[in-house]
Amino acid sequence: ILSQVKPEPRTEIERAIGEYLKLRYNWNPKNVNQRVNEATSFVLSSNRKAFESAMVSVKNFSAQKSISQRVFPEKIQVDLENGRALVSGDRITSIQGLKAVGPLK
């Protein structure tokens, strides 16, 4: 009988955060609705209404101003004792073709 190895909780949380970042912060005017809607699955049902409300302006602004965004997380640190995660990396925002790079935090 093969024994299954249980995944490390920290590793699974880091992986989930990485997937959320891909959906929530990597979009362009054509796919922003789909990407943000997919990111909603990572949000607790008790917080979903507030998340969706906040994302309306992101979706509209992206479409109206032709804004794209990409993030490149360098480090995801999970603190299980305090229930927190710290993400660092770079964020590239393109507004009508002009690009700006800033920190992702």
Side-chain angles (χ1 to χ4, degrees), residues 23-41:
L23 295 171
R24 167 61 183 87
Y25 293 100
N26 289 315
W27 43 257
N28 61 53
K30 292 180 182 176
N31 70 6
V32 66
N33 285 323
Q34 175 190 349
R35 301 292 284 198
V36 170
N37 289 342
E38 290 172 1
T40 304
S41 64

Side-chain angles (χ1 to χ4, degrees), residues 53-66:
S53 178
M55 292 300 101
V56 168
S57 62
V58 170
K59 294 175 185 179
N60 291 339
F61 194 64
S62 173
Q64 291 170 357
K65 303 292 182 182
S66 188

